[in-house]
Amino acid sequence: MDKGWGLTLETSSSNSDRAGFFKSKPVFGFNLSPKYNAGEMFSSSDEKRSIVNEVDFFSDKKPIVKKENSQGDNSIRTDDQFVVNTGLQLVTANAGSDQSTVDDGVSSEVLEDKRAKIQQLAQLQIELERMNSENQRLKGMLTQVNSSYSALQMHLVTLMQQQQQQQLNSKTENTHPHEVVGSKTDEEKKKENNGTIVPRQFMELGPSGSKVDPMDEPSHSHSSSEERTLSGSPRTNMELVSRDKAINREESPESESWAPNKAPKLMNSSSKPVEQSTEATMRKARVSVRARSEAPMISDGCQWRKYGQKMAKGNPCPRAYYRCTMAVGCPVRKQVQRCADDRTILITTYEGTHNHPLPPAAMAMASTTSAAANMLLSGSMPSADGLMNTNFLARAMLPCSSNMATISASAPFPTVTLDLTAQNPNAALPNYHQRINQANPHFQFPLPAGLNHPNFAASMSAPQMPHIMGQPLYNQSKFSGLQISQDNIHHPSISHDTLSAATAAITADPNFTAALAAAISSIIGGSHPNNGNSPMSGPSSNNNNTSSFPGN
DNA sequence: CGGATTTGACCCGCGC
DNA sequence: GCGCGGGTCAAATCCG
């Protein structure tokens, strides 16, 4: 008979090393299921004894005590996740009372010993209750802090944007009060500026937003471009300016050829200048998703039309270009390319914001990319601010995440990279990707040991992004065939509720930082796999499983 | 026949 | 100025 009283807590999960303190379910490696079948916590014995069959450690109610003959090991099994091996051979809680059946052969010493053990058990029970309540309290505090933090961040970003806009407006008025909009070509502008490119502000919000976005109206591209060169923003970013020109070029024909409904938008532009300008800058921000998939394209709920394919330098796999066709003139595009080093990895880069209602299937992804773009805009403030804002995002995510998302706020495209492919991004990073990022100035966030991205800008983690994206990454049979190895998912069990909460958080919150942080927090809370009934499973007409995928 | 895809050409920015 | 590379266009082609 094992009289050892060492309380061994065996956990079959690694959750305990992952801030379990703040999780709703597992606390200290326990799954706080109200019912603990303690029938197995008693060692086998030939002796009949009254045993505690059920112990409700965490309920307000007293543990349920049943008299029952039972045999078992010394462990407490909890919802098939954790096993608490008590090493105890417990007898009834009121051992020695009339209701207990004690073997007459047991000595008084043994009885006292048992009483002591029972007291210890009770103390443990109380302690667990205390910890549970404390866990709940801390969890609530964390939630509150997160929300407050997000609100503060948003407020700060808004203030900075307003301030920037004020500066922009004042400078525009003071330095070029009589410029005629739309009267000069880019070439003329270059000549006027001695061929130099005048830096401009990344964001153009506020009253000056009455400027027409070049991507919305080709005929205004020059004027808009000119106004940008006149902006005289304190920010000196040649790349952004250059990129803007490229965008002007790209968008103008696009608007002519496949965006006939841009005219109404243009007419609204005067009434909603901010939206217009924001969309223009959205065009620059990108969200890149790296995921294992043998399908030609991950299904994200939107309809895409392929408009080009190019061989990219440094990657034998061609890069395919898609644009959203769910609405005429939708500016959203995406690039799909297989990783050069590991062709099972599919790199999908989203750019832009949808200008149309989205089906539920596409909401999560679209909101995420849109919000990411928003976030990156805030991270594109003048250098110090940009750094700070980007740190906001990472810091918002880091408390609950570990390693797999990257912010590259540097030009030419500020990009958020979500790596869903491996636990160790160092191993997963393709050289191609590294090359891209090596060219960029970057900074890095502190991450758990061994999980940093040495070549990425700001790293943060989102191995749970499949769920954040509302994408049925576990279900490849239905649409995309997207393969996410469970080995590569830190939290292989994500509940549908969690998914919903995460998706809702993102779709409801235009701010990527807050939304993503909330989503990750929610996901870290743990649960079980989505069975593939994700909203992402909606029909996507032409976007999937074609044989034309680059690299296939 | 209409829509989607393919693919060569083209444009533009950038670096040398 | 020239070449390279990324991105897009659009005619040709494919496909249901």
PDB file of all heavy atoms in Angstrom, chain A residues 242 245 249 305-309 542 548, chain B residues 4-7 9-14:
ATOM      1  N   SER A 242       8.050  57.036 -54.349  1.00  0.00           N
ATOM      2  CA  SER A 242       8.210  56.265 -55.567  1.00  0.00           C
ATOM      3  C   SER A 242       7.090  55.258 -55.708  1.00  0.00           C
ATOM      4  O   SER A 242       6.544  55.062 -56.782  1.00  0.00           O
ATOM      5  CB  SER A 242       9.557  55.538 -55.536  1.00  0.00           C
ATOM      6  OG  SER A 242      10.602  56.460 -55.422  1.00  0.00           O
ATOM      7  N   LYS A 245       3.998  56.742 -57.024  1.00  0.00           N
ATOM      8  CA  LYS A 245       3.971  56.923 -58.465  1.00  0.00           C
ATOM      9  C   LYS A 245       3.624  55.620 -59.151  1.00  0.00           C
ATOM     10  O   LYS A 245       2.860  55.585 -60.108  1.00  0.00           O
ATOM     11  CB  LYS A 245       5.321  57.446 -58.944  1.00  0.00           C
ATOM     12  CG  LYS A 245       5.581  58.863 -58.483  1.00  0.00           C
ATOM     13  CD  LYS A 245       6.997  59.289 -58.834  1.00  0.00           C
ATOM     14  CE  LYS A 245       7.242  60.725 -58.434  1.00  0.00           C
ATOM     15  NZ  LYS A 245       7.173  61.629 -59.540  1.00  0.00           N
ATOM     16  N   ARG A 249       0.431  54.761 -61.495  1.00  0.00           N
ATOM     17  CA  ARG A 249       0.489  54.138 -62.793  1.00  0.00           C
ATOM     18  C   ARG A 249      -0.353  52.879 -62.831  1.00  0.00           C
ATOM     19  O   ARG A 249      -1.078  52.613 -63.784  1.00  0.00           O
ATOM     20  CB  ARG A 249       1.945  53.766 -63.108  1.00  0.00           C
ATOM     21  CG  ARG A 249       2.106  52.904 -64.308  1.00  0.00           C
ATOM     22  CD  ARG A 249       3.577  52.626 -64.540  1.00  0.00           C
ATOM     23  NE  ARG A 249       4.220  52.061 -63.376  1.00  0.00           N
ATOM     24  CZ  ARG A 249       4.176  50.779 -63.068  1.00  0.00           C
ATOM     25  NH1 ARG A 249       3.491  49.954 -63.798  1.00  0.00           N
ATOM     26  NH2 ARG A 249       4.804  50.325 -62.015  1.00  0.00           N
ATOM     27  N   ARG A 305      -9.632  36.815 -59.554  1.00  0.00           N
ATOM     28  CA  ARG A 305      -9.340  36.579 -60.963  1.00  0.00           C
ATOM     29  C   ARG A 305      -7.849  36.817 -61.196  1.00  0.00           C
ATOM     30  O   ARG A 305      -7.299  37.850 -60.816  1.00  0.00           O
ATOM     31  CB  ARG A 305     -10.147  37.523 -61.851  1.00  0.00           C
ATOM     32  CG  ARG A 305      -9.816  37.344 -63.310  1.00  0.00           C
ATOM     33  CD  ARG A 305     -10.756  38.151 -64.167  1.00  0.00           C
ATOM     34  NE  ARG A 305     -10.425  38.022 -65.577  1.00  0.00           N
ATOM     35  CZ  ARG A 305     -11.157  38.515 -66.543  1.00  0.00           C
ATOM     36  NH1 ARG A 305     -12.263  39.155 -66.261  1.00  0.00           N
ATOM     37  NH2 ARG A 305     -10.804  38.376 -67.797  1.00  0.00           N
ATOM     38  N   LYS A 306      -7.288  35.875 -61.856  1.00  0.00           N
ATOM     39  CA  LYS A 306      -5.857  35.970 -62.117  1.00  0.00           C
ATOM     40  C   LYS A 306      -5.618  36.936 -63.266  1.00  0.00           C
ATOM     41  O   LYS A 306      -6.269  36.868 -64.304  1.00  0.00           O
ATOM     42  CB  LYS A 306      -5.316  34.584 -62.471  1.00  0.00           C
ATOM     43  CG  LYS A 306      -3.810  34.514 -62.545  1.00  0.00           C
ATOM     44  CD  LYS A 306      -3.408  33.064 -62.816  1.00  0.00           C
ATOM     45  CE  LYS A 306      -1.910  32.899 -62.802  1.00  0.00           C
ATOM     46  NZ  LYS A 306      -1.526  31.493 -63.015  1.00  0.00           N
ATOM     47  N   TYR A 307      -4.711  37.840 -63.070  1.00  0.00           N
ATOM     48  CA  TYR A 307      -4.450  38.801 -64.137  1.00  0.00           C
ATOM     49  C   TYR A 307      -2.984  38.820 -64.548  1.00  0.00           C
ATOM     50  O   TYR A 307      -2.591  39.600 -65.427  1.00  0.00           O
ATOM     51  CB  TYR A 307      -4.890  40.200 -63.726  1.00  0.00           C
ATOM     52  CG  TYR A 307      -4.106  40.805 -62.590  1.00  0.00           C
ATOM     53  CD1 TYR A 307      -2.978  41.582 -62.834  1.00  0.00           C
ATOM     54  CD2 TYR A 307      -4.503  40.609 -61.283  1.00  0.00           C
ATOM     55  CE1 TYR A 307      -2.267  42.157 -61.804  1.00  0.00           C
ATOM     56  CE2 TYR A 307      -3.804  41.167 -60.246  1.00  0.00           C
ATOM     57  CZ  TYR A 307      -2.680  41.952 -60.507  1.00  0.00           C
ATOM     58  OH  TYR A 307      -1.983  42.517 -59.475  1.00  0.00           O
ATOM     59  N   GLY A 308      -2.208  37.994 -63.953  1.00  0.00           N
ATOM     60  CA  GLY A 308      -0.815  37.995 -64.367  1.00  0.00           C
ATOM     61  C   GLY A 308      -0.017  36.941 -63.653  1.00  0.00           C
ATOM     62  O   GLY A 308      -0.441  36.405 -62.621  1.00  0.00           O
ATOM     63  N   GLN A 309       1.084  36.640 -64.199  1.00  0.00           N
ATOM     64  CA  GLN A 309       1.992  35.688 -63.562  1.00  0.00           C
ATOM     65  C   GLN A 309       3.403  36.039 -63.978  1.00  0.00           C
ATOM     66  O   GLN A 309       3.675  36.293 -65.153  1.00  0.00           O
ATOM     67  CB  GLN A 309       1.644  34.271 -63.977  1.00  0.00           C
ATOM     68  CG  GLN A 309       2.547  33.206 -63.376  1.00  0.00           C
ATOM     69  CD  GLN A 309       2.001  31.813 -63.581  1.00  0.00           C
ATOM     70  OE1 GLN A 309       0.832  31.551 -63.326  1.00  0.00           O
ATOM     71  NE2 GLN A 309       2.848  30.904 -64.059  1.00  0.00           N
ATOM     72  N   ASN A 542     -14.142  30.951 -58.384  1.00  0.00           N
ATOM     73  CA  ASN A 542     -13.112  30.580 -59.329  1.00  0.00           C
ATOM     74  C   ASN A 542     -11.743  30.550 -58.701  1.00  0.00           C
ATOM     75  O   ASN A 542     -10.751  30.542 -59.362  1.00  0.00           O
ATOM     76  CB  ASN A 542     -13.080  31.596 -60.458  1.00  0.00           C
ATOM     77  CG  ASN A 542     -12.760  32.956 -59.912  1.00  0.00           C
ATOM     78  OD1 ASN A 542     -13.077  33.233 -58.769  1.00  0.00           O
ATOM     79  ND2 ASN A 542     -12.135  33.782 -60.700  1.00  0.00           N
ATOM     80  N   SER A 548      -3.592  25.887 -62.522  1.00  0.00           N
ATOM     81  CA  SER A 548      -2.717  26.922 -63.045  1.00  0.00           C
ATOM     82  C   SER A 548      -1.816  27.529 -61.990  1.00  0.00           C
ATOM     83  O   SER A 548      -1.138  28.487 -62.239  1.00  0.00           O
ATOM     84  CB  SER A 548      -3.568  28.037 -63.656  1.00  0.00           C
ATOM     85  OG  SER A 548      -4.391  28.604 -62.663  1.00  0.00           O
TER      86      SER A 548
ATOM     87  P    DA B   4     -15.231  35.435 -64.452  1.00  0.00           P
ATOM     88  OP1  DA B   4     -15.748  35.250 -63.096  1.00  0.00           O
ATOM     89  OP2  DA B   4     -14.862  36.773 -64.941  1.00  0.00           O
ATOM     90  O5'  DA B   4     -13.966  34.470 -64.654  1.00  0.00           O
ATOM     91  C5'  DA B   4     -14.159  33.063 -64.526  1.00  0.00           C
ATOM     92  C4'  DA B   4     -12.914  32.334 -64.973  1.00  0.00           C
ATOM     93  O4'  DA B   4     -12.798  32.429 -66.409  1.00  0.00           O
ATOM     94  C3'  DA B   4     -11.614  32.874 -64.386  1.00  0.00           C
ATOM     95  O3'  DA B   4     -10.809  31.795 -63.930  1.00  0.00           O
ATOM     96  C2'  DA B   4     -10.960  33.605 -65.546  1.00  0.00           C
ATOM     97  C1'  DA B   4     -11.489  32.842 -66.745  1.00  0.00           C
ATOM     98  N9   DA B   4     -11.581  33.654 -67.959  1.00  0.00           N
ATOM     99  C8   DA B   4     -12.275  34.814 -68.130  1.00  0.00           C
ATOM    100  N7   DA B   4     -12.181  35.331 -69.332  1.00  0.00           N
ATOM    101  C5   DA B   4     -11.375  34.428 -70.008  1.00  0.00           C
ATOM    102  C6   DA B   4     -10.900  34.397 -71.335  1.00  0.00           C
ATOM    103  N6   DA B   4     -11.180  35.328 -72.246  1.00  0.00           N
ATOM    104  N1   DA B   4     -10.117  33.360 -71.694  1.00  0.00           N
ATOM    105  C2   DA B   4      -9.832  32.429 -70.784  1.00  0.00           C
ATOM    106  N3   DA B   4     -10.228  32.348 -69.514  1.00  0.00           N
ATOM    107  C4   DA B   4     -11.003  33.389 -69.183  1.00  0.00           C
ATOM    108  P    DT B   5      -9.467  32.128 -63.228  1.00  0.00           P
ATOM    109  OP1  DT B   5      -9.343  31.164 -62.132  1.00  0.00           O
ATOM    110  OP2  DT B   5      -9.351  33.566 -62.966  1.00  0.00           O
ATOM    111  O5'  DT B   5      -8.405  31.747 -64.361  1.00  0.00           O
ATOM    112  C5'  DT B   5      -8.513  30.491 -65.001  1.00  0.00           C
ATOM    113  C4'  DT B   5      -7.497  30.384 -66.109  1.00  0.00           C
ATOM    114  O4'  DT B   5      -7.858  31.272 -67.185  1.00  0.00           O
ATOM    115  C3'  DT B   5      -6.062  30.744 -65.721  1.00  0.00           C
ATOM    116  O3'  DT B   5      -5.208  29.697 -66.126  1.00  0.00           O
ATOM    117  C2'  DT B   5      -5.791  32.036 -66.471  1.00  0.00           C
ATOM    118  C1'  DT B   5      -6.707  31.902 -67.665  1.00  0.00           C
ATOM    119  N1   DT B   5      -7.146  33.189 -68.292  1.00  0.00           N
ATOM    120  C2   DT B   5      -6.836  33.437 -69.599  1.00  0.00           C
ATOM    121  O2   DT B   5      -6.208  32.657 -70.295  1.00  0.00           O
ATOM    122  N3   DT B   5      -7.297  34.639 -70.075  1.00  0.00           N
ATOM    123  C4   DT B   5      -8.027  35.593 -69.378  1.00  0.00           C
ATOM    124  O4   DT B   5      -8.378  36.637 -69.908  1.00  0.00           O
ATOM    125  C5   DT B   5      -8.315  35.265 -68.008  1.00  0.00           C
ATOM    126  C7   DT B   5      -9.094  36.227 -67.169  1.00  0.00           C
ATOM    127  C6   DT B   5      -7.870  34.094 -67.533  1.00  0.00           C
ATOM    128  P    DT B   6      -3.697  29.736 -65.752  1.00  0.00           P
ATOM    129  OP1  DT B   6      -3.301  28.351 -65.453  1.00  0.00           O
ATOM    130  OP2  DT B   6      -3.468  30.818 -64.786  1.00  0.00           O
ATOM    131  O5'  DT B   6      -3.004  30.151 -67.141  1.00  0.00           O
ATOM    132  C5'  DT B   6      -3.403  29.478 -68.309  1.00  0.00           C
ATOM    133  C4'  DT B   6      -2.704  30.068 -69.513  1.00  0.00           C
ATOM    134  O4'  DT B   6      -3.340  31.314 -69.891  1.00  0.00           O
ATOM    135  C3'  DT B   6      -1.217  30.395 -69.320  1.00  0.00           C
ATOM    136  O3'  DT B   6      -0.500  29.923 -70.441  1.00  0.00           O
ATOM    137  C2'  DT B   6      -1.192  31.904 -69.214  1.00  0.00           C
ATOM    138  C1'  DT B   6      -2.355  32.295 -70.100  1.00  0.00           C
ATOM    139  N1   DT B   6      -3.011  33.601 -69.790  1.00  0.00           N
ATOM    140  C2   DT B   6      -3.254  34.475 -70.814  1.00  0.00           C
ATOM    141  O2   DT B   6      -2.949  34.256 -71.974  1.00  0.00           O
ATOM    142  N3   DT B   6      -3.886  35.636 -70.422  1.00  0.00           N
ATOM    143  C4   DT B   6      -4.280  35.981 -69.138  1.00  0.00           C
ATOM    144  O4   DT B   6      -4.833  37.047 -68.915  1.00  0.00           O
ATOM    145  C5   DT B   6      -3.996  35.015 -68.126  1.00  0.00           C
ATOM    146  C7   DT B   6      -4.389  35.296 -66.715  1.00  0.00           C
ATOM    147  C6   DT B   6      -3.383  33.879 -68.491  1.00  0.00           C
ATOM    148  P    DT B   7       1.044  29.693 -70.364  1.00  0.00           P
ATOM    149  OP1  DT B   7       1.347  28.482 -71.167  1.00  0.00           O
ATOM    150  OP2  DT B   7       1.433  29.772 -68.948  1.00  0.00           O
ATOM    151  O5'  DT B   7       1.640  30.964 -71.123  1.00  0.00           O
ATOM    152  C5'  DT B   7       1.045  31.355 -72.341  1.00  0.00           C
ATOM    153  C4'  DT B   7       1.543  32.725 -72.741  1.00  0.00           C
ATOM    154  O4'  DT B   7       0.662  33.742 -72.199  1.00  0.00           O
ATOM    155  C3'  DT B   7       2.955  33.062 -72.241  1.00  0.00           C
ATOM    156  O3'  DT B   7       3.659  33.738 -73.256  1.00  0.00           O
ATOM    157  C2'  DT B   7       2.681  33.997 -71.079  1.00  0.00           C
ATOM    158  C1'  DT B   7       1.459  34.736 -71.600  1.00  0.00           C
ATOM    159  N1   DT B   7       0.624  35.396 -70.553  1.00  0.00           N
ATOM    160  C2   DT B   7      -0.162  36.464 -70.922  1.00  0.00           C
ATOM    161  O2   DT B   7      -0.221  36.891 -72.048  1.00  0.00           O
ATOM    162  N3   DT B   7      -0.882  36.997 -69.884  1.00  0.00           N
ATOM    163  C4   DT B   7      -0.880  36.596 -68.559  1.00  0.00           C
ATOM    164  O4   DT B   7      -1.564  37.160 -67.721  1.00  0.00           O
ATOM    165  C5   DT B   7      -0.042  35.476 -68.262  1.00  0.00           C
ATOM    166  C7   DT B   7       0.026  34.960 -66.863  1.00  0.00           C
ATOM    167  C6   DT B   7       0.670  34.939 -69.258  1.00  0.00           C
ATOM    168  P    DA B   9       7.030  39.259 -76.802  1.00  0.00           P
ATOM    169  OP1  DA B   9       7.358  39.339 -78.245  1.00  0.00           O
ATOM    170  OP2  DA B   9       8.074  38.977 -75.809  1.00  0.00           O
ATOM    171  O5'  DA B   9       6.307  40.620 -76.376  1.00  0.00           O
ATOM    172  C5'  DA B   9       5.030  40.899 -76.912  1.00  0.00           C
ATOM    173  C4'  DA B   9       4.472  42.182 -76.312  1.00  0.00           C
ATOM    174  O4'  DA B   9       4.028  41.918 -74.957  1.00  0.00           O
ATOM    175  C3'  DA B   9       5.490  43.328 -76.227  1.00  0.00           C
ATOM    176  O3'  DA B   9       4.874  44.538 -76.643  1.00  0.00           O
ATOM    177  C2'  DA B   9       5.861  43.369 -74.735  1.00  0.00           C
ATOM    178  C1'  DA B   9       4.597  42.859 -74.062  1.00  0.00           C
ATOM    179  N9   DA B   9       4.813  42.173 -72.792  1.00  0.00           N
ATOM    180  C8   DA B   9       5.692  41.153 -72.555  1.00  0.00           C
ATOM    181  N7   DA B   9       5.678  40.719 -71.315  1.00  0.00           N
ATOM    182  C5   DA B   9       4.719  41.507 -70.699  1.00  0.00           C
ATOM    183  C6   DA B   9       4.224  41.542 -69.388  1.00  0.00           C
ATOM    184  N6   DA B   9       4.655  40.743 -68.414  1.00  0.00           N
ATOM    185  N1   DA B   9       3.269  42.443 -69.107  1.00  0.00           N
ATOM    186  C2   DA B   9       2.840  43.247 -70.081  1.00  0.00           C
ATOM    187  N3   DA B   9       3.221  43.313 -71.358  1.00  0.00           N
ATOM    188  C4   DA B   9       4.178  42.397 -71.596  1.00  0.00           C
ATOM    189  P    DC B  10       5.767  45.806 -76.936  1.00  0.00           P
ATOM    190  OP1  DC B  10       5.232  46.486 -78.146  1.00  0.00           O
ATOM    191  OP2  DC B  10       7.190  45.428 -76.839  1.00  0.00           O
ATOM    192  O5'  DC B  10       5.418  46.705 -75.670  1.00  0.00           O
ATOM    193  C5'  DC B  10       4.054  46.911 -75.313  1.00  0.00           C
ATOM    194  C4'  DC B  10       3.964  47.434 -73.906  1.00  0.00           C
ATOM    195  O4'  DC B  10       4.261  46.366 -72.982  1.00  0.00           O
ATOM    196  C3'  DC B  10       4.956  48.555 -73.602  1.00  0.00           C
ATOM    197  O3'  DC B  10       4.254  49.777 -73.435  1.00  0.00           O
ATOM    198  C2'  DC B  10       5.634  48.115 -72.287  1.00  0.00           C
ATOM    199  C1'  DC B  10       4.776  46.958 -71.807  1.00  0.00           C
ATOM    200  N1   DC B  10       5.518  45.892 -71.057  1.00  0.00           N
ATOM    201  C2   DC B  10       5.221  45.660 -69.721  1.00  0.00           C
ATOM    202  O2   DC B  10       4.342  46.340 -69.163  1.00  0.00           O
ATOM    203  N3   DC B  10       5.901  44.694 -69.049  1.00  0.00           N
ATOM    204  C4   DC B  10       6.837  43.984 -69.684  1.00  0.00           C
ATOM    205  N4   DC B  10       7.473  43.048 -68.982  1.00  0.00           N
ATOM    206  C5   DC B  10       7.144  44.202 -71.059  1.00  0.00           C
ATOM    207  C6   DC B  10       6.472  45.162 -71.698  1.00  0.00           C
ATOM    208  P    DC B  11       5.063  51.114 -73.324  1.00  0.00           P
ATOM    209  OP1  DC B  11       4.288  52.153 -74.022  1.00  0.00           O
ATOM    210  OP2  DC B  11       6.478  50.880 -73.678  1.00  0.00           O
ATOM    211  O5'  DC B  11       4.998  51.402 -71.757  1.00  0.00           O
ATOM    212  C5'  DC B  11       3.750  51.273 -71.090  1.00  0.00           C
ATOM    213  C4'  DC B  11       3.953  51.442 -69.593  1.00  0.00           C
ATOM    214  O4'  DC B  11       4.482  50.209 -69.045  1.00  0.00           O
ATOM    215  C3'  DC B  11       4.931  52.552 -69.230  1.00  0.00           C
ATOM    216  O3'  DC B  11       4.355  53.396 -68.246  1.00  0.00           O
ATOM    217  C2'  DC B  11       6.150  51.806 -68.680  1.00  0.00           C
ATOM    218  C1'  DC B  11       5.549  50.505 -68.171  1.00  0.00           C
ATOM    219  N1   DC B  11       6.481  49.342 -68.209  1.00  0.00           N
ATOM    220  C2   DC B  11       6.674  48.574 -67.066  1.00  0.00           C
ATOM    221  O2   DC B  11       6.071  48.873 -66.027  1.00  0.00           O
ATOM    222  N3   DC B  11       7.518  47.524 -67.125  1.00  0.00           N
ATOM    223  C4   DC B  11       8.148  47.229 -68.261  1.00  0.00           C
ATOM    224  N4   DC B  11       8.972  46.182 -68.265  1.00  0.00           N
ATOM    225  C5   DC B  11       7.960  47.996 -69.442  1.00  0.00           C
ATOM    226  C6   DC B  11       7.120  49.028 -69.373  1.00  0.00           C
ATOM    227  P    DC B  12       4.939  54.803 -68.018  1.00  0.00           P
ATOM    228  OP1  DC B  12       3.817  55.727 -67.756  1.00  0.00           O
ATOM    229  OP2  DC B  12       5.936  55.090 -69.077  1.00  0.00           O
ATOM    230  O5'  DC B  12       5.740  54.586 -66.655  1.00  0.00           O
ATOM    231  C5'  DC B  12       5.056  54.039 -65.535  1.00  0.00           C
ATOM    232  C4'  DC B  12       6.062  53.543 -64.526  1.00  0.00           C
ATOM    233  O4'  DC B  12       6.687  52.348 -65.038  1.00  0.00           O
ATOM    234  C3'  DC B  12       7.193  54.527 -64.242  1.00  0.00           C
ATOM    235  O3'  DC B  12       7.085  54.982 -62.898  1.00  0.00           O
ATOM    236  C2'  DC B  12       8.478  53.722 -64.479  1.00  0.00           C
ATOM    237  C1'  DC B  12       7.987  52.284 -64.520  1.00  0.00           C
ATOM    238  N1   DC B  12       8.776  51.389 -65.421  1.00  0.00           N
ATOM    239  C2   DC B  12       9.333  50.222 -64.914  1.00  0.00           C
ATOM    240  O2   DC B  12       9.169  49.951 -63.728  1.00  0.00           O
ATOM    241  N3   DC B  12      10.050  49.436 -65.745  1.00  0.00           N
ATOM    242  C4   DC B  12      10.209  49.771 -67.030  1.00  0.00           C
ATOM    243  N4   DC B  12      10.922  48.954 -67.801  1.00  0.00           N
ATOM    244  C5   DC B  12       9.641  50.964 -67.567  1.00  0.00           C
ATOM    245  C6   DC B  12       8.937  51.738 -66.731  1.00  0.00           C
ATOM    246  P    DG B  13       8.039  56.081 -62.393  1.00  0.00           P
ATOM    247  OP1  DG B  13       7.233  57.040 -61.622  1.00  0.00           O
ATOM    248  OP2  DG B  13       8.915  56.557 -63.481  1.00  0.00           O
ATOM    249  O5'  DG B  13       8.939  55.234 -61.372  1.00  0.00           O
ATOM    250  C5'  DG B  13       8.287  54.372 -60.453  1.00  0.00           C
ATOM    251  C4'  DG B  13       9.310  53.531 -59.708  1.00  0.00           C
ATOM    252  O4'  DG B  13       9.855  52.533 -60.607  1.00  0.00           O
ATOM    253  C3'  DG B  13      10.499  54.322 -59.164  1.00  0.00           C
ATOM    254  O3'  DG B  13      10.826  53.828 -57.873  1.00  0.00           O
ATOM    255  C2'  DG B  13      11.608  54.050 -60.184  1.00  0.00           C
ATOM    256  C1'  DG B  13      11.270  52.654 -60.668  1.00  0.00           C
ATOM    257  N9   DG B  13      11.659  52.387 -62.051  1.00  0.00           N
ATOM    258  C8   DG B  13      11.398  53.187 -63.144  1.00  0.00           C
ATOM    259  N7   DG B  13      11.853  52.696 -64.271  1.00  0.00           N
ATOM    260  C5   DG B  13      12.456  51.504 -63.896  1.00  0.00           C
ATOM    261  C6   DG B  13      13.127  50.545 -64.685  1.00  0.00           C
ATOM    262  O6   DG B  13      13.324  50.553 -65.909  1.00  0.00           O
ATOM    263  N1   DG B  13      13.594  49.481 -63.911  1.00  0.00           N
ATOM    264  C2   DG B  13      13.424  49.371 -62.554  1.00  0.00           C
ATOM    265  N2   DG B  13      13.940  48.290 -61.985  1.00  0.00           N
ATOM    266  N3   DG B  13      12.799  50.268 -61.806  1.00  0.00           N
ATOM    267  C4   DG B  13      12.347  51.303 -62.538  1.00  0.00           C
ATOM    268  P    DC B  14      11.863  54.608 -57.001  1.00  0.00           P
ATOM    269  OP1  DC B  14      11.387  54.541 -55.606  1.00  0.00           O
ATOM    270  OP2  DC B  14      12.149  55.919 -57.620  1.00  0.00           O
ATOM    271  O5'  DC B  14      13.167  53.694 -57.147  1.00  0.00           O
ATOM    272  C5'  DC B  14      13.033  52.288 -57.015  1.00  0.00           C
ATOM    273  C4'  DC B  14      14.328  51.605 -57.397  1.00  0.00           C
ATOM    274  O4'  DC B  14      14.398  51.453 -58.841  1.00  0.00           O
ATOM    275  C3'  DC B  14      15.589  52.373 -56.987  1.00  0.00           C
ATOM    276  O3'  DC B  14      16.473  51.507 -56.314  1.00  0.00           O
ATOM    277  C2'  DC B  14      16.178  52.849 -58.313  1.00  0.00           C
ATOM    278  C1'  DC B  14      15.690  51.787 -59.286  1.00  0.00           C
ATOM    279  N1   DC B  14      15.574  52.247 -60.696  1.00  0.00           N
ATOM    280  C2   DC B  14      16.106  51.449 -61.716  1.00  0.00           C
ATOM    281  O2   DC B  14      16.652  50.388 -61.428  1.00  0.00           O
ATOM    282  N3   DC B  14      16.004  51.885 -62.999  1.00  0.00           N
ATOM    283  C4   DC B  14      15.403  53.042 -63.266  1.00  0.00           C
ATOM    284  N4   DC B  14      15.313  53.429 -64.541  1.00  0.00           N
ATOM    285  C5   DC B  14      14.846  53.865 -62.234  1.00  0.00           C
ATOM    286  C6   DC B  14      14.954  53.427 -60.974  1.00  0.00           C
TER     287       DC B  14
END
